[in-house]
Amino acid sequence: AQSVTQLGSHVSVSEGALVLLRCNYSSSVPPYLFWYVQYPNQGLQLLLKYTTGATLVKGINGFEAEFKKSETSFHLTKPSAHMSDAAEYFCAVTFTSGTYKYIFGTGTRLKVLA
Amino acid sequence: DAGVIQSPRHEVTEMGQEVTLRCKPISGHDYLFWYRQTMMRGLELLIYFNNNVPIDDSGMPEDRFSAKMPNASFSTLKIQPSEPRDSAVYFCASKSTQGAGELFFGEGSRLTVL
């Protein structure tokens, strides 16, 4: 069965520190992978996506993620956290064949400490 | 460009009342998705449409929920009768067949059933 797992429902980092949010997926077909961010009382906004090609993808606000097929992972990183990065982050997967069901992880709430 | 537009943003109703949530997708998008977000269950796909036709409604919790898409620019999600456990934020999202397939989300409708 296809699934997405986000390790850590809450992550706290100091301002200026590395941000690492983990995402692992399970899929029997090639995946498309996404990271979305949700600020309070707002909808989800796309941060970045992987479809094909380069496995290191860069997104908005200095975030990037690397697709590692051997590890079935798509972890999100940012070298230096900013207070404005405090939000909830969702990893999502859909598939290159079959239905267009998007499966979302349970989310990771990022807290940035001053 | 206008994004996905949802209404109402907030709805407070009493148990047993009918609730109708509305969504206008991005013009030209041919897929429309309805999601429900709660603290306990995260982001759940309820139903999605392709070219106004429901493709997968397996996530609709029970017969009290129904969704329609009478044309390419409008969709409704109806709950009748509503129950307190339906309290959640309901998101509409759309996507185009073209491109890498990211979802574009509305800002959500926060439903409270008393």
Side-chain angles (χ1 to χ4, degrees), chain A residues 69-111:
Chain A
K69 185 178 179 180
S70 62
E71 299 177 10
T72 62
S73 68
F74 191 58
H75 301 330
L76 181 71
T77 60
K78 181 174 180 178
S80 177
H82 191 273
M83 297 297 288
S84 60
D85 294 328
E88 188 152 22
Y89 293 80
F90 292 90
C91 181
V93 62
T94 191
F95 308 101
T96 57
S97 62
T99 71
Y100 280 95
K101 271 189 157 177
Y102 288 72
I103 299 172
F104 283 81
T106 51
T108 298
R109 187 168 297 277
L110 176 66
K111 186 174 182 179

Side-chain angles (χ1 to χ4, degrees), chain A residues 36 38 41 49 100-102, chain B residues 37 56 95 101-103:
Chain A
Y36 285 85
Q38 184 180 30
N41 300 314
K49 64 190 179 192
Y100 280 95
K101 271 189 157 177
Y102 288 72
Chain B
Q37 186 179 38
D56 188 335
K95 80 171 216 54
E102 63 264 35
L103 297 180

Side-chain angles (χ1 to χ4, degrees), chain B residues 25-26 29 32 52 69-74:
Chain B
I26 292 173
H29 283 191
L32 184 139
N52 314 336
M69 192 164 186
N71 57 62
S73 59
F74 183 67

